[in-house]
Amino acid sequence: MQSNAVREAKFNVGNVTRFYVPLLLQGFSQSLAYPLVAGIVTHGEFGVDALTAFSQGQMVMFMIGGLVFAKTWMGYVAFRRLNALMMSALLAVQCVVALPPFSDWIFLGLFNLPPELAHMAARTLLYGVLMNGLFFLRNVPMVVLFDNLESAKANYATFLRLIVTFALAVCLPRMGLVGPWWGLAALTFGVGVELVATWLFALPYVARLPNRTQVEDVKSLPSIPRLTLEQFRFTLPLSLGGFLLMLSPVAIAAFVGRSVDPKDMLAIHYVTIGVANPVAFAALRMQTVAIKFPPEYAGDRRLLVYAVVAGLLLGVVPLAFSTPLIGGWYFGTYQNVPPRIVGTARLAIGIYSLISVIHAVRARVEGLAALAKRPKAIMAGQIAYTASLFTVCSILLPMGVPGWAMAVTAIFIAPICVTATIYAVLASKRWQ
């Protein structure tokens, strides 16, 4: 589905950097709001333990919508229908699993939370329906902007959400408004602001969509269900990689919650993954760069070198949080982490500084698989991601490995398995 203009893009550091930086900023900023509001959540009644319940309720909620194409009016109408169907179905599921007995099975059983935290996680999941609905509504104008190569305007809307969320994260604790419900309120209000801004940016492009169908013209309407089905088939594999990345902290938490000192281990896991995930998402945007700048000759690995260097530079962010000055303030003061585990949290985030290199290399080979039209390679890598997470945790838990170390190890090994699997499948003719 790449245009000639896309395939003619020539590699040089300047061109790649100009293309990658807006993508990087968006990937980074999309998940930055959650560690921002953690300062509201952790200063409530249950302290840092509330972040565990809040995060688990949030993580169960998140479904990544995925990018689909709406370059004509019919495509746009089909995508609106697809988005509405997905929103209705998934929000209904979210409401059901937030209520007993399903919520008890998930939060008391799977995640092994104490009853008061399990109740908090279930309420977070239920009350998060509004925010998740706003995210789904935002999908439509954001896709319109991307299809018109206006990623900068989509970034402006996201940055506006961050500014509003940051302002609330600063003001609400000073007013004594703390705890998970105020944290959720801050997130939801920020997403609402982003939705309004995104629609305002997108409206001119919607008005100019070609092949616009008049209300009385019914001849072309039968093609909408077909377009909707095609878009769903296209969206699903693209969404799965990001979904698995968001799901990994929850999957790992099921094991960490059964390690020694589970409350402390889960607290370390969530406060550190809140810093590591924005960097990981920024690194994963290298997939789009690999599609935009394909190899120009056999053995062309210039983008691989670029991905490694970009990953190392991104790693400076979590590395800074391992220092006594920044890490001590962020974990000890802002996140309200008990002093006894601040040092361990700083150590964990320092190790995470290398995760961006692994994700950048992984994203590059995923882009190569997309260019080669080898969806089976991408799917095999995603299966390897999930399988490796569970395998590593299943091995380390009986060995008595500390929960935070188990999480770090699994999160490192999983993308390495993805990369190795995709390379192996690309080299094999059997999977073509």
Side-chain angles (χ1 to χ4, degrees):
M1 296 185 67
Q2 300 303 314
S3 66
N4 291 334
V6 169
R7 290 195 176 274
E8 291 173 359
K10 298 297 183 182
F11 180 97
N12 66 59
V13 173
N15 287 343
V16 174
T17 301
R18 282 188 292 271
F19 182 77
Y20 177 50
V21 168
L23 296 172
L24 176 157
L25 291 174
Q26 191 197 40
F28 186 83
S29 60
Q30 286 286 5
S31 55
L32 187 61
Y34 309 105
L36 281 179
V37 303
I40 302 173
V41 176
T42 57
H43 285 82
E45 177 184 358
F46 293 96
V48 75
D49 292 337
L51 182 61
T52 297
F54 182 76
S55 298
Q56 289 185 348
Q58 289 276 304
M59 293 296 183
V60 172
M61 181 190 78
F62 288 135
M63 289 287 181
I64 306 302
L67 177 64
V68 300
F69 290 88
K71 295 182 178 179
T72 66
W73 176 253
M74 293 300 291
Y76 170 73
V77 173
F79 176 54
R80 283 195 318 188
R81 177 175 293 186
L82 171 62
N83 194 62
L85 290 172
M86 291 177 64
M87 179 176 69
S88 300
L90 293 174
L91 293 185
V93 171
Q94 182 176 332
C95 290
V96 169
V97 300
L99 300 173
F102 305 103
S103 60
D104 294 337
W105 295 345
I106 295 171
F107 298 113
L108 286 174
L110 179 62
F111 296 126
N112 199 33
L113 289 178
E116 66 275 9
L117 296 185
H119 177 77
M120 185 184 301
R123 296 284 78 76
T124 299
L125 180 60
L126 181 61
Y127 301 153
V129 166
L130 175 59
M131 185 176 75
N132 212 12
L134 294 176
F135 271 127
F136 272 105
L137 294 175
R138 187 204 61 178
N139 281 347
V140 177
M142 187 161 286
V143 165
V144 171
L145 291 176
F146 282 143
D147 283 340
N148 285 276
L149 304 179
E150 292 288 358
S151 59
K153 290 183 178 179
N155 284 338
Y156 296 154
T158 300
F159 290 149
L160 183 59
R161 167 164 69 105
L162 288 177
I163 292 171
V164 170
T165 306
F166 177 75
L168 292 173
V170 172
C171 295
L172 291 181
R174 294 183 178 181
M175 299 166 61
L177 304 177
V178 293
W181 317 133
W182 285 107
L184 184 60
L187 283 175
T188 304
F189 185 78
V191 176
V193 170
E194 183 183 24
L195 170 62
V196 172
T198 308
W199 263 118
L200 291 175
F201 284 135
L203 282 176
Y205 301 101
V206 174
R208 294 200 297 265
L209 284 172
N211 302 327
R212 192 180 184 97
T213 305
Q214 301 298 322
V215 176
E216 64 273 9
D217 184 6
V218 296
K219 294 181 180 180
S220 57
L221 290 181
S223 66
I224 291 182
R226 176 181 57 80
L227 283 171
T228 303
L229 180 60
E230 289 177 0
Q231 289 180 346
F232 177 74
R233 289 172 176 171
F234 180 77
T235 299
L236 190 60
L238 289 178
S239 302
L240 192 55
F243 169 75
L244 290 175
L245 180 60
M246 291 297 293
L247 183 64
S248 60
V250 174
I252 293 170
F255 290 91
V256 177
R258 288 167 171 78
S259 62
V260 179
D261 296 326
K263 283 189 176 183
D264 284 353
M265 296 301 102
L266 284 169
I268 294 170
H269 173 52
Y270 280 117
V271 296
T272 54
I273 205 69
V275 176
N277 258 355
V279 176
F281 273 104
L284 282 174
R285 296 292 178 153
M286 192 62 65
Q287 183 187 82
T288 306
V289 179
I291 296 172
K292 175 74 172 179
F293 296 90
E296 297 174 17
Y297 51 83
D300 184 0
R301 293 183 175 84
R302 290 175 296 172
L303 188 61
L304 176 59
V305 175
Y306 184 95
V308 172
V309 174
L312 289 171
L313 292 175
L314 285 170
V316 172
V317 175
L319 187 62
F321 282 83
S322 69
T323 62
L325 179 62
I326 298 177
W329 170 82
Y330 178 76
F331 295 119
T333 303
Y334 188 75
Q335 296 278 27
N336 201 27
V337 171
R340 66 180 180 276
I341 58 174
V342 168
T344 306
R346 287 174 43 216
L347 172 61
I349 199 60
I351 299 173
Y352 275 132
S353 62
L354 293 175
I355 195 69
S356 53
V357 177
I358 299 172
H359 278 303
V361 173
R362 164 200 171 180
R364 182 252 182 185
V365 73
E366 286 178 337
L368 294 180
L371 280 171
K373 297 181 179 179
R374 300 283 297 275
K376 290 182 179 179
I378 298 175
M379 290 299 296
Q382 292 164 349
I383 293 170
Y385 185 92
T386 304
S388 59
L389 278 180
F390 282 94
T391 301
V392 171
C393 290
S394 298
I395 292 172
L396 296 183
L397 180 61
M399 296 173 61
V401 174
W404 73 268
M406 182 170 26
V408 170
T409 303
I411 289 172
F412 261 90
I413 291 178
I416 293 175
C417 290
V418 172
T419 306
T421 299
I422 294 178
Y423 270 120
V425 174
L426 288 178
S428 171
K429 295 183 179 180
R430 180 181 177 184
W431 287 69
Q432 290 184 356

